[in-house]
Amino acid sequence: MEDILKQVQAGTLTVAEAKEKLATYENLGFAKVDHHRKKRQGFPEIIYGEGKSSEQISSIITAIKEKNNDVLVTRISKDKAETVLKQHPELIYHEIAEILYWKQNKEKVTESAGYIAVVCAGTSDLRVAEEAAVTAEALGSDVRRIYDVGVAGIHRLLDNIEEIQHANVSIIIAGMEGALPSVVGGLVSHPVIAVPTSVGYGASFQGLAPLLTMLNSCASGISVVNIDNGFGGAYNAVLIDRIANNKG
């Protein structure tokens, strides 16, 4: 900021140019891109793709990249992603997760002291599980995927429990009755982020049944995010993972 003020005083920078450089957000008309987000929260603004046109998403991506920030777009359909990729071919699209992202530095700077375990009950939960896993990876965490280990075949979970127990934090994804987070929560000593999914028959009420199960869990250390919100679960898990790694 002092450098900008000196440039204004020296006449090498106009007041209008200085205001633009100091602005904490950029007004695109249809969106106000929060360029100050990374300074406040540690991550750049993340784009929610549903309800936005391909053109709007592309414009927001351009604004974010111009500030040398990483890009993460969630809930973006394959059709929209293909259109966006024509303008931004450097981005990577994960079809199952419905995530589009780009990182400036693809190489790991330091070896991580731990990882996030992403655990899902069944194959039908994969879209939400992959949204969580890819989000966590895009935000810089190491991820271990442990899939299709629901309570209907508890031996599958127990065969993988050591890997889950050694994680810094676990994201547990389940639909139907949503019992898996309670089971895992009783077997680990780290925080558990529970993500209910809308997978299930009529009485699951599009994910309300597993949501209520998770909220009423008797296992300690479980936090619950919204239905199908793999992104939200991952974001919280990454914050915990960062703290754990700093202490490690």
Side-chain angles (χ1 to χ4, degrees), residues 17-138:
E17 289 170 335
K19 283 183 178 179
E20 187 176 341
K21 283 181 175 289
L22 293 170
T24 55
Y25 69 88
E26 182 177 348
N27 191 348
L28 301 180
F30 58 86
K32 293 179 176 63
V33 184
D34 185 0
H35 294 309
H36 201 250
R37 186 80 56 94
K38 187 174 182 179
K39 289 184 179 179
R40 298 195 316 271
Q41 298 187 308
F43 303 111
E45 181 172 2
I46 292 158
I47 305 164
Y48 182 73
E50 280 187 13
K52 294 183 179 71
S53 68
S54 301
E55 293 75 18
Q56 289 171 334
I57 294 170
S58 291
S59 296
I60 296 170
I61 289 171
T62 298
I64 290 173
K65 287 192 68 183
E66 283 178 351
K67 296 294 183 180
N68 298 315
N69 283 320
D70 293 342
V71 175
L72 179 61
V73 187
T74 67
R75 296 296 175 90
I76 179 168
S77 67
K78 185 179 180 181
D79 290 344
K80 282 185 185 178
E82 287 176 348
T83 302
V84 172
L85 284 168
K86 290 176 183 176
Q87 187 171 344
H88 298 281
E90 69 282 2
L91 271 65
I92 298 169
Y93 182 61
H94 290 264
E95 188 173 348
I96 296 175
E98 294 187 320
I99 281 178
L100 193 63
Y101 81 98
W102 174 79
K103 291 172 71 68
Q104 290 187 82
N105 184 9
K106 294 181 181 179
E107 295 182 7
K108 292 181 73 65
V109 179
T110 56
E111 191 67 27
S112 174
Y115 57 87
I116 296 172
V118 178
V119 184
C120 83
T123 307
S124 296
D125 301 308
L126 277 183
R127 187 189 66 75
V128 179
E130 278 298 290
E131 181 181 61
V134 175
T135 294
E137 289 171 336

Side-chain angles (χ1 to χ4, degrees), residues 161 164-167 170 172 181 183-192 220-221:
I161 196 61
I164 298 169
Q165 287 173 329
H166 288 120
S170 289
I172 315 296
V183 176
V184 175
L187 296 171
V188 301
S189 60
H190 59 249
V192 169
S220 302

